[in-house]
Amino acid sequence: MSSIYPACFFKEENGYSVIFPDLNDLATCGDTLEEAMTMAVDCLAGYLKWCQEDGADIPAPSPMSSVSPEAIAATLDIDYSEAFVNLVSVDVTSYVHTRL
């Protein structure tokens, strides 16, 4: 079963930072947009797998329309002029099996 969460992508001088606001501002990055998306999938899969293994509560994803890159950028004191929200999807079980 796929899990889908909105993530904020922030263009920075040397690549992209990615933040999942629903998951305690879980973050990753990449040198290119493609690498940042790959890292976002990996980061999301790892976090959700950890939650499953530890029995931790997994928050429900927010509607994409309610995620504000501007608000997130303000709390982190980063530039949001080239920020956008995108959905990141992963089937944790399949992802873990292909990585081991």
Side-chain angles (χ1 to χ4, degrees), residues 51-62:
C51 287
Q52 290 171 353
E53 289 175 353
D54 282 6
D57 290 332
I58 300 173
S62 297

Side-chain angles (χ1 to χ4, degrees), residues 5-10 19-22 61-72 84-87:
Y5 280 83
C8 292
F9 287 72
F10 294 93
I19 298 170
F20 291 92
D22 293 325
S62 297
M64 193 166 145
S65 61
S66 72
V67 177
S68 167
E70 182 177 357
I72 294 165
F84 62 93
V85 178
N86 198 44
L87 293 175

Side-chain angles (χ1 to χ4, degrees), residues 3 5 8 12-13 27 29 34-35 46 64-65 73 76 94 97:
S3 297
Y5 280 83
C8 292
E12 299 197 48
E13 190 173 312
C29 62
E34 181 178 337
E35 184 178 293
M64 193 166 145
S65 61
L76 300 173
S94 294
H97 288 298

Side-chain angles (χ1 to χ4, degrees), residues 5-92:
Y5 280 83
C8 292
F9 287 72
F10 294 93
K11 175 74 172 119
E12 299 197 48
E13 190 173 312
N14 296 317
Y16 290 83
S17 291
V18 184
I19 298 170
F20 291 92
D22 293 325
L23 305 174
N24 299 317
D25 290 336
L26 178 69
T28 190
C29 62
D31 292 336
T32 64
L33 183 55
E34 181 178 337
E35 184 178 293
M37 180 57 82
T38 299
M39 295 300 293
V41 170
D42 187 61
C43 185
L44 179 59
Y47 182 84
L48 295 176
K49 179 67 174 164
W50 172 82
C51 287
Q52 290 171 353
E53 289 175 353
D54 282 6
D57 290 332
I58 300 173
S62 297
M64 193 166 145
S65 61
S66 72
V67 177
S68 167
E70 182 177 357
I72 294 165
T75 64
L76 300 173
D77 195 28
I78 58 177
D79 181 31
Y80 68 91
S81 60
E82 293 186 58
F84 62 93
V85 178
N86 198 44
L87 293 175
V88 177
S89 173
V90 66
D91 180 324
V92 176

